[in-house]
Amino acid sequence: MTPDEKQEVLKLLEAHERTLAVCRACAETTRDLAWEVKRGSAPQAEALAATADEASRVLNDLGQVELMLAEMKAALW
């Protein structure tokens, strides 16, 4: 494998790592929100706003990962 090929594989692996981190964060947030609701309370508006802001950031990151994966797939053809 050439150094350039190794670099491309590394970028792909890092994209997958970021995707897994996003999935974990989503699952943890969903779990925490469910526990709050189960206890009969709701998160404060500030906490919900912070979660919405973070979700927007994560969605942007995912979009970048999707583009990178599409470019890599296209390069194989």
Side-chain angles (χ1 to χ4, degrees):
M1 186 179 288
T2 68
D4 287 342
E5 290 170 332
K6 286 181 182 180
Q7 189 63 28
E8 287 301 311
V9 170
L10 180 60
K11 284 169 55 177
L12 181 60
L13 292 173
E14 289 171 348
H16 284 298
E17 287 175 337
R18 286 191 303 274
T19 301
L20 288 173
V22 167
C23 292
R24 177 177 294 283
C26 290
E28 289 172 352
T29 300
T30 301
R31 179 199 60 206
D32 294 348
L33 180 58
W35 279 110
E36 283 288 322
V37 172
K38 183 179 179 185
R39 283 197 304 258
S41 64
Q44 295 181 0
E46 297 83 20
L48 290 173
T51 298
D53 290 344
E54 181 66 10
S56 293
R57 186 193 65 74
V58 165
L59 288 169
N60 184 53
D61 287 351
L62 284 175
Q64 296 300 315
V65 172
E66 289 170 336
L67 287 174
M68 183 187 304
L69 291 173
E71 290 172 3
M72 293 177 122
K73 284 176 68 177
L76 293 173
W77 300 107

